[in-house]
């Protein structure tokens, strides 16, 4: 019992300035009494925690409870009572600050300890910055928190986004607002996010095509050599322009001939209208058109995704398409870097029923279901694992004729993750294929 360290018993561990008389020392922990209690029959004093620990050990081996000082039998409920006078006496003793070894010169009554510690400049405390586990003296806290702590929050001088100090260097490596040297080594400094635009439109060392390439000049050269090329090839360009002019005149003549034929065809328009009415009637009788799949081919996908990630061209649209002659009109919409819950992690794909020229004669609500598909381009058809998700309840959502500017796009914010997109042959030759299939 007496072998336990004082920190596990009840007495004070404080360094008292004056010598403590034996009457105020617990005979169990040999430290000044803390929450003093007194035994009724024999008058011995103990720390409350110490006597409770003593009783617990006796009860564990089923012994009679006795006084640790004189072995007198005791009743826990009747023979133990708090000694408030002893507590007041002990709390009036003068102590040194627990941080004296670290330089604190404070002394005062034990009862003032709790008031002193929260302001003691030498007490060991934890850093107040989130995630920092450093412990230091209170007097060092302000300097550590504001200038030394790895977890202090700093604002990027380029983009004004806040990061912990230890992550700022890594942030600067990718920050879109940091000035960087042109990759082509032209000597200019531009914002990292503007590098692609600089190379495409400004950099003097980037290879470009001749402005007269549409006329037939196939020369390529660095942008800085453009004026020299134009001056040296002036006659060549003039000859190409003459050839183009001759070709244009021939096209104009051909176009005039076609226009004359169209005028003649107007005579037959009445007959065509009649045939169209007959086809509409046939459509109403036979229901849904058989033609039901639209395939959207997107080339240069890596650049499209890169631009979307930098906030440029967040979404792209397919060409409008019909499900067949005199039928419903649709348009697909793709967010390469995601939209809503899929932002920055997924492709988001949607399709909308849009205003068409035949809406007045079609059935509403829209009577069929749709499915959105990303084609797996594996050469072996049996090994393909295309991504497909059905759109349900289209008749509830596309229940009325679409109005231009108020189209309702249906689809999936998390259609396919960027991570999964790289695991199979969804991107081949920098091209993806998306489909809208109607049943």
């Amino acid at each position: 019992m007496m072998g336990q360290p004082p920190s596990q018993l009840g007495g004070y561990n404080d360094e008292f300035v004056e010598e403590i008389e034996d009457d105020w020392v617990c005979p169990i922990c040999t430290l000044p009494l803390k929450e003093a209690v007194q035994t009724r029959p024999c008058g011995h004093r103990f720390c409350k925690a110490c006597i409770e620990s003593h009783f617990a050990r006796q009860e564990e081996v089923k012994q009679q409870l006795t006084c640790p000082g004189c072995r007198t039998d005791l009743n826990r409920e009747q023979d133990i009572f708090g000694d408030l006078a002893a507590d007041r006496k002990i709390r009036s003793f003068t102590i040194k600050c627990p941080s004296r070894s670290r330089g604190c010169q404070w002394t005062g009554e034990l009862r003032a300890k709790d008031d002193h510690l929260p302001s003691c400049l030498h007490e060991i405390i934890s850093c107040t910055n989130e995630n920092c586990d450093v412990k230091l003296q209170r007097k060092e806290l302000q300097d550590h928190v504001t200038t030394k702590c790895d977890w202090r929050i700093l604002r990027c001088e380029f983009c004004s986004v806040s990061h912990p100090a230890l992550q700022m260097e890594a942030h600067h490596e990718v920050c879109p607002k940091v000035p960087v040297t042109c990759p082509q080594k032209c000597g200019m400094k531009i914002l990292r996010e503007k590098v692609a635009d600089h190379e495409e439109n400004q950099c003097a060392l980037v290879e470009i095509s001749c402005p007269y390439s549409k006329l037939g000049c196939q020369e390529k050269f660095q942008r800085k050599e453009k004026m020299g090329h134009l001056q040296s090839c002036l006659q060549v360009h003039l000859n190409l322009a003459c050839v183009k002019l001759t070709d244009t005149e021939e096209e104009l003549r051909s176009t005039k001939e076609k226009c004359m034929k169209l005028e003649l065809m107007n005579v037959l328009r009445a007959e065509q209208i009649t045939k169209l009415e007959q086809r509409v009637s046939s459509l109403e009788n036979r229901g849904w058109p058989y033609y039901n799949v639209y395939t959207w081919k997107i080339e240069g996908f890596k650049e499209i995704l890169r631009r979307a990630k930098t906030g440029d061209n967040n979404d792209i649209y397919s060409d409008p398409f019909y499900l067949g002659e005199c039928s419903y009109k649709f348009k697909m919409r793709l967010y390469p870097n995601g939209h809503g819950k899929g932002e920055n992690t997924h492709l988001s794909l949607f399709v909308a029923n849009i205003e068409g020229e035949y809406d007045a004669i079609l059935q509403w609500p829209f009577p069929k279901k749709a499915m959105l598909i990303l084609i797996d381009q594996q050469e072996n058809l049996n090994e393909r694992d295309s991504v497909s998700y059905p759109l349900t309840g289209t008749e509830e959502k596309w229940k009325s004729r679409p109005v231009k500017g108020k189209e309702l796009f249906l689809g999936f914010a998390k259609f396919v993750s960027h991570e999964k997109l790289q695991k199979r042959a969804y991107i081949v030759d920098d091209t993806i294929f998306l489909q809208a299939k109607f049943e």
Side-chain angles (χ1 to χ4, degrees), residues 330-341:
F330 290 87
K331 178 167 62 176
M332 299 175 72
R333 184 178 192 177
L334 174 68
Y335 291 85
N337 195 36
H339 176 69
K341 294 182 178 180

Side-chain angles (χ1 to χ4, degrees), residues 8-50:
Q8 296 181 12
L9 298 174
Y12 291 100
N13 288 320
D14 302 278
E15 185 176 352
F16 286 83
V17 174
E18 56 199 289
E19 184 177 352
I20 307 301
E21 298 178 1
D22 289 344
D23 287 345
W24 314 114
V25 174
C26 174
I28 296 178
C29 65
T30 68
L31 294 171
L33 294 164
K34 185 175 184 180
E35 295 186 86
V37 296
Q38 192 174 35
T39 57
R40 187 180 300 277
C42 53
H44 290 112
R45 294 189 180 97
F46 305 95
C47 298
K48 181 179 179 181
C50 292

Side-chain angles (χ1 to χ4, degrees), residues 92-306:
S92 70
F93 291 150
T94 302
I95 65 167
K96 300 175 183 178
C97 176
S99 298
R100 186 178 184 85
S101 62
R102 292 185 289 273
C104 183
Q105 300 301 313
W106 178 86
T107 59
E109 292 186 348
L110 176 60
R111 62 170 52 88
K113 174 184 175 182
D114 290 341
D115 293 330
H116 165 69
L117 288 182
S119 61
C120 178
L121 297 179
H122 300 276
E123 184 182 18
I124 299 299
I125 59 175
S126 297
C127 174
T128 55
N129 285 333
E130 186 177 359
N131 296 321
C132 181
D133 56 5
V134 170
K135 296 184 181 297
L136 67 171
Q137 294 187 44
R138 180 176 280 110
K139 66 179 182 178
E140 301 168 344
L141 178 64
Q142 182 63 25
D143 181 54
H144 172 79
V145 166
T146 58
T147 65
K148 297 178 180 178
C149 180
D150 287 341
W151 289 97
R152 69 188 187 278
I153 301 301
L154 301 178
R155 185 183 297 274
C156 175
E157 61 183 301
F158 302 104
C159 69
S160 298
V161 176
S162 297
H163 298 277
L166 56 75
Q167 297 175 2
M168 188 56 72
E169 183 176 352
H171 167 71
H172 284 164
E173 293 298 323
V174 297
C175 178
K177 302 295 184 181
V178 169
V180 296
T181 302
C182 171
Q184 303 296 331
K185 300 181 180 180
C186 72
M188 290 190 64
K189 278 203 167 187
I190 55 274
L191 298 185
R192 181 177 282 119
E193 65 182 359
K194 299 294 185 181
V195 168
D197 179 70
H198 167 74
E199 292 181 322
E200 182 177 351
N201 300 306
Q202 300 173 3
C203 182
L205 300 184
V206 168
E207 186 178 73
I208 62 173
S209 298
C210 174
Y212 292 93
S213 59
K214 292 184 178 180
L215 296 180
C217 181
Q218 302 301 314
E219 291 292 326
K220 293 181 180 292
F221 39 81
Q222 290 184 326
R223 183 175 278 112
K224 66 180 181 179
E225 300 170 350
K226 176 181 175 181
M227 293 308 299
H229 168 76
L230 293 178
Q231 292 174 0
S232 63
C233 296
L234 182 61
Q235 186 59 49
V236 173
H237 295 158
L238 181 58
N239 293 340
L240 290 173
C242 290
V243 172
K244 185 66 174 179
L245 178 59
T246 300
D247 292 342
T248 301
E249 289 176 344
E250 178 60 27
E251 290 178 5
L252 180 59
R253 184 190 61 77
S254 177
T255 301
K256 287 182 178 180
E257 291 179 356
K258 291 179 180 179
C259 289
M260 293 177 65
K261 291 180 180 180
L262 288 175
E263 290 178 0
L264 293 175
M265 291 176 65
N266 285 337
V267 178
L268 303 175
R269 181 165 296 177
E271 180 180 349
Q272 290 177 333
I273 293 175
T274 302
K275 289 182 179 180
L276 178 60
E277 291 175 345
Q278 292 173 349
R279 286 158 64 187
V280 170
S281 176
S282 174
L283 176 63
E284 292 175 340
N285 293 331
R286 62 188 172 94
W288 185 251
Y290 180 75
Y291 175 71
N292 63 354
V293 178
Y294 172 74
T295 301
W296 183 12
K297 178 180 180 182
I298 303 177
E299 298 177 305
F301 180 74
K302 292 181 181 178
E303 176 62 15
I304 291 174
L305 178 58
R306 186 194 69 77

Side-chain angles (χ1 to χ4, degrees), residues 304-341:
I304 291 174
L305 178 58
R306 186 194 69 77
R307 286 177 174 270
K309 287 184 176 181
T310 60
D312 186 14
N313 293 336
N314 291 328
D315 59 341
I316 59 175
Y317 294 86
S318 72
D319 291 332
F321 59 92
Y322 284 92
L323 296 188
E325 294 183 330
C326 308
S327 189
Y328 301 89
K329 189 177 183 181
F330 290 87
K331 178 167 62 176
M332 299 175 72
R333 184 178 192 177
L334 174 68
Y335 291 85
N337 195 36
H339 176 69
K341 294 182 178 180

